[in-house]
Amino acid sequence: MSASHYELACLECGRSYRDADSGFFLSCPEHHRPSLLRARYAERRLTIHGENPGMFRYSDWLPVRRILKEANGPICYESSGLGGYLKLDNLFIAFNGYWPEKGALLESGSFKELEANAVCARVPSGESRRMVVSSAGNTGMAFLHVCTQNDVPVVVVVPESALGSLWTTTERSPLTTVAVLAGNVDYLDVIEAGKKLSEMETFYPEGGALNVARRDGMGTVLLSAVEHIGELPSHYFQAIGSGTGGIAAWEMSLRLREDGRFGRHAKMKLHFVQNSPFTIMTDAWRLSLPELPAVDERVSREQISSLYAQVLSNRKPPYSIKGGVFDALTDTHGDMYSVSMKEAEEAGELFQKLEGIDLHPAAQVALGGLIQAVRAGRIRRRESVLLNVTGGGSERLSREEKKREVKPDVVIHPGDNIEEIVTRNLVRI
Ligand SMILES: *Cc1c(COP(=O)(O)O)cnc(C)c1O
C-alpha cells in the first residue's frame, strides 16, 4: 500500500498535498497558523475490504501506508434492553472495548485503539525517530498495545495520577517507553511536556487532534455502524474531552453523505457530552460562543482534579479551530450536555443491568447525556440513535486476569529537563 489513495486538504487555505515523505504532516506546511488538515480519498464510494483485519476493512478511507496484521476493530449492535427502557425503537450501540461475545476485542479498553492502529499504519516504513504520545491514560494504553504488536518505537507521556489505572495485556516491547509526569499535573501539562520532547531531532509528535489518521481511525466507529444499520443514524452521542472522536464522526458522516448510498436526507445530529464540573465546551456552546472564553486556570485545575471521567479533561480542546467542535455542532444543529458523576454512575449501572457489561466512566457520561435528551423529548421514538460507547469491559478484563500493571520507565519531576531524562533512559532502536 502506498500513500497515493489520499491527499491532505488544509481547511484554512484550501490547498491540497500528498502526505510527507518523512513522518507525516500534522498541519498545513504553507502557513503557520494552526489549521486542521482533512484526508481526501481517491475513492468517493466506500468499498469494504473484508479480507483485511479489523478496522482495516475500511482501508480506502484511512490515511495509512500499510495494513497492520493483528488489528481489531469497532463493532455495532442493535440494543433491545436499553432501547426498550428508553423507548427508542432504533437504538444502536457502537461498543469499543473488550466484550468477546460481541466480537469486541480492543484489549486496551477504548476506541483510542482505533486511533493508535491508524496512526501506526501511517508511519512511513524506515522512520528512524520515536513517536511521542501525550495521554490522559487511554491513548497511552492504546499506543503501548499497538506499538508493541507492530514494533513502533514510542514514548508515552502520562500524568502520575493515571498510572494506577493503566494496563497492558501482553509484555511491553522494549521499544515502548512510559514517562510519568509527577506532581499535581493534568492532561494539558502532559501535552506540553510531550510537545517539548517531540521537538528534539530524534522524536516526532503523534499530533493529537491534528493527526488525520487519529481522526479517521476513530471515524471507523461510524463506518462500522453504518455498515450494520445500512444508513447514517439520525443522532450520534459521545462523551468528549478534546472532541477529536466527535469531529471524526462528523467528518466520516460527510464522506458517507457524499457517497450517497447511506441516506442523503438529514444530517447526522451530533450530541456531545461533558462531565460536570469541567464543562468548558458545553458552557460555550450553550452561549453560542464560537471561541472558548478565558477561564481561570486554577478553577479548571480544581474541577479536573475531582473529575469522575478523567479522560474528559482537555483544557485546550480544538473547539474554535476551523473544522473543529464548534463547526461540527453548527453544521449538524448539534447539542451539548453536562452530566454529573451521579448521573454517570446511574447510567453505568443501568447499562450493566440491561446490556450486560461494564462501561468506562466516559461512556457512562455519554449515556447520561442520551438519557437527558430522551427525557427532554429531543429524540423521537422511531429515529435512529447511535450511542458511541467509547470504552468498556475493563472489569471483564480484570476478571479474566488479562491485565498487567504498567510500570514507568522514567519519572519526571517538576523542574526536570524532560529531554535529558528521557533520552538517557531509552533503549536503542
Ligand atoms: C478519549 C476518550 C473520550 C473522548 O474522546 P474525544 O477525543 O474527546 O472525542 C471518550 N471516552 C473515552 C473512553 C476516551 O478514552
Side-chain angles (χ1 to χ4, degrees):
M1 191 167 215
S2 72
S4 59
H5 70 290
Y6 68 94
E7 54 180 30
L8 303 169
C10 173
L11 298 183
E12 239 1 280
C13 70
R15 291 191 191 88
S16 290
Y17 307 91
R18 282 176 49 113
D19 207 348
D21 293 327
S22 161
F24 33 62
F25 286 133
L26 293 173
S27 207
C28 186
E30 288 295 320
H31 55 82
H32 293 291
R33 251 173 314 158
S35 66
L36 287 181
L37 298 170
R38 188 179 289 162
R40 290 249 159 79
Y41 297 103
E43 295 296 334
R44 295 298 157 94
R45 281 162 71 96
L46 178 65
T47 303
I48 288 161
H49 296 282
E51 71 281 11
N52 289 345
M55 60 185 278
F56 290 97
R57 64 197 280 106
Y58 310 114
S59 59
D60 283 356
W61 283 10
L62 288 171
V64 295
R65 308 188 215 224
R66 62 179 170 136
I67 308 277
L68 305 185
K69 301 259 158 14
E70 291 180 66
N72 288 300
I75 64 110
C76 180
Y77 71 94
E78 182 162 10
S79 159
S80 54
L82 186 63
Y85 174 85
L86 293 174
K87 300 195 172 57
L88 293 172
D89 292 343
N90 295 293
L91 174 63
F92 296 90
I93 311 264
F95 188 88
N96 296 291
Y98 185 68
W99 194 358
E101 290 77 9
K102 294 276 190 211
L105 298 168
L106 304 178
E107 292 189 1
S108 70
S110 80
F111 78 151
K112 298 292 187 345
E113 196 169 314
L114 308 174
E115 155 201 335
N117 278 326
V119 169
C120 287
R122 189 184 175 199
V123 176
S125 63
E127 175 58 68
S128 58
R129 301 166 300 164
R130 266 170 235 259
M131 184 162 26
V132 178
V133 173
S134 300
S135 168
N138 285 346
T139 300
M141 282 197 282
F143 275 90
L144 291 179
H145 185 77
V146 174
C147 291
T148 290
Q149 275 179 341
N150 297 285
D151 294 320
V152 176
V154 72
V155 179
V156 167
V157 190
V158 291
E160 190 176 24
S161 57
L163 196 58
S165 56
L166 301 187
W167 73 78
T168 55
T169 52
T170 52
E171 187 163 345
R172 238 178 347 107
S173 155
L175 296 178
T176 66
T177 303
V178 175
V180 166
L181 216 53
N184 181 23
V185 298
D186 72 3
Y187 184 33
L188 186 60
D189 300 318
V190 167
I191 291 174
E192 281 165 359
K195 189 159 174 254
K196 243 168 95 186
L197 184 62
S198 66
E199 279 161 6
M200 292 180 72
E201 244 171 44
T202 46
F203 297 93
Y204 65 102
E206 181 266 342
L210 298 179
N211 193 325
V212 288
R214 174 187 273 230
R215 303 209 305 280
D216 290 350
M218 289 170 143
T220 60
V221 170
L222 187 63
L223 299 180
S224 101
V226 166
E227 200 185 343
H228 183 83
I229 304 169
E231 60 179 17
L232 275 165
S234 301
H235 301 276
Y236 172 86
F237 281 81
Q238 193 206 301
I240 65 167
S242 302
T244 312
I247 298 167
W250 174 56
E251 294 179 315
M252 275 306 175
S253 78
L254 299 177
R255 294 188 185 103
L256 288 163
R257 279 169 67 82
E258 196 186 331
D259 176 308
R261 291 172 294 164
F262 306 105
R264 283 170 160 263
H265 36 289
K267 292 188 176 172
M268 180 178 83
K269 188 177 168 103
L270 300 172
H271 302 260
F272 293 156
V273 192
Q274 291 208 284
N275 186 191
S276 62
F278 185 69
T279 54
I280 50 173
M281 288 191 272
T282 303
D283 301 344
W285 176 251
R286 286 186 173 162
L287 295 170
S288 309
L289 301 178
E291 309 262 345
L292 292 178
V295 286
D296 187 325
E297 182 179 324
R298 199 181 42 85
V299 173
S300 290
R301 282 182 185 275
E302 226 169 82
Q303 291 169 339
I304 289 169
S305 69
S306 69
L307 201 64
Y308 177 57
Q310 277 293 323
V311 291
L312 307 178
S313 66
N314 190 340
R315 284 189 276 126
K316 286 195 181 159
Y319 176 83
S320 55
I321 194 169
K322 200 165 170 106
V325 172
F326 181 82
D327 286 350
L329 288 167
T330 303
D331 181 55
T332 65
H333 304 288
D335 251 317
M336 284 210 62
Y337 303 78
S338 164
V339 164
S340 69
M341 170 165 127
K342 184 159 174 289
E343 285 174 277
E345 283 179 330
E346 284 169 8
E349 280 164 26
L350 196 65
F351 197 91
Q352 174 84 60
K353 195 171 95 196
L354 298 174
E355 299 290 336
I357 192 106
D358 59 291
L359 295 186
H360 186 280
Q364 298 174 13
V365 167
L367 176 53
L370 172 60
I371 292 170
Q372 282 184 12
V374 168
R375 294 213 171 120
R378 287 192 210 166
I379 315 276
R380 278 186 299 238
R381 181 169 188 143
R382 291 216 156 72
E383 288 179 313
S384 58
V385 176
L386 179 63
L387 172 66
N388 187 350
V389 169
T390 48
S394 159
E395 283 168 22
R396 176 70 194 267
L397 281 164
S398 299
R399 245 187 299 130
E400 290 186 10
E401 298 185 1
K402 282 190 174 292
K403 290 181 179 174
R404 301 168 182 225
E405 185 189 348
V406 172
K407 296 200 188 77
D409 301 299
V410 192
V411 181
I412 296 140
H413 294 277
D416 281 353
N417 179 332
I418 180 168
E419 297 96 313
E420 207 262 314
I421 295 179
V422 171
T423 314
R424 186 153 30 95
N425 285 281
L426 290 176
V427 174
R428 253 174 207 277
I429 296 182

